[in-house]
Amino acid sequence: GRLWSSKWLQTLVGAEPSVIVYSAGDADISVGAAPQSVLTNFKEFVQAFRAAATNSKQSSIPIVFLSVFASPYHRAIGPLRLMRICAANSGPWGWAKTTKNILCVDLNSCSFAAKPKYFLLDGFYVNLGGRRQMVTALRPLLTAVAAGHAPEPGEHKLCPATPSVGARWAIRDPAKPVRFGAFSTIPW
């Protein structure tokens, strides 16, 4: 069965979010799941949430897929693991390019992503400092999306910036650079 039940989905719908951040797949890849399962599970979640939505506004809420994270644990296993992570991320990224209100965000480009100090001793799970780094990186994008300033569909790569400014993000396709200025940090 899925990790989300109809009761959980109704709770999520009832919270009336302005944007949903979906983070999954890291553990799946670490236990040998097929990279394609990340896309399958993400699509199932999106379809289940959209079906549970009670009005058209909720059914069009932007959903942001956070890329499978190449943590120090994954990096230590070697290049084959990193290739599996890239394959797992490519499914949602491709789907997002053709699906309305679906965005994919790559946190692997942030400077903290490979630093063990931002992870628990296992090197797999981020610690409190790592979570702070993630929030700092995500805040400008999520603030813009929640305010209705969603970028073009597709894959987005977050780049680090100074903590007082937040982060800059851009569409990863270098042939089509769309950059947004940094936003002021606001309480999350």
Side-chain angles (χ1 to χ4, degrees):
R2 291 283 145 244
L3 296 177
W4 53 86
S5 65
S6 59
K7 184 176 180 177
W8 183 86
L9 285 168
Q10 289 305 320
T11 301
L12 182 58
V13 168
E16 298 183 3
S18 53
V19 62
I20 295 171
V21 176
Y22 180 95
S23 176
D26 300 69
D28 297 334
I29 295 300
S30 72
V31 297
Q36 300 82 353
S37 69
V38 173
L39 174 60
T40 301
N41 293 340
F42 181 51
K43 280 183 169 182
E44 287 178 11
F45 168 76
V46 170
Q47 292 165 351
F49 177 80
R50 301 274 191 239
T54 57
N55 60 51
S56 62
K57 181 180 177 190
Q58 286 180 328
S59 66
S60 63
I61 290 170
I63 299 177
V64 177
F65 172 85
L66 290 185
S67 61
V68 175
F69 207 49
S71 66
Y73 169 84
H74 289 303
R75 293 170 193 269
I77 290 175
L80 289 177
R81 175 61 61 88
L82 297 178
M83 288 172 52
R84 289 177 50 78
I85 288 172
C86 288
N89 287 332
S90 68
W93 292 343
W95 188 55
K97 290 178 183 177
T98 61
T99 308
K100 187 175 180 182
N101 294 320
I102 300 295
L103 301 169
C104 292
V105 172
D106 184 7
L107 286 174
N108 291 305
S109 62
C110 294
S111 62
F112 73 90
K115 294 182 180 174
K117 75 177 188 176
Y118 292 116
F119 291 81
L120 297 177
L121 292 176
D122 62 8
F124 188 82
Y125 296 102
V126 293
N127 60 23
L128 183 58
R131 290 194 183 278
R132 286 183 180 135
Q133 293 291 318
M134 290 172 80
V135 168
T136 298
L138 287 168
R139 183 179 286 124
L141 171 66
L142 297 181
T143 301
V145 170
H149 304 294
E152 293 180 36
E155 175 187 353
H156 301 277
K157 187 173 188 174
L158 292 177
C159 304
T162 60
S164 62
V165 177
R168 298 179 69 127
W169 54 280
I171 292 183
R172 275 182 80 185
D173 181 359
K176 205 173 163 188
V178 176
R179 289 193 168 76
F180 294 80
F183 295 80
S184 298
T185 302
I186 58 171
W188 197 251

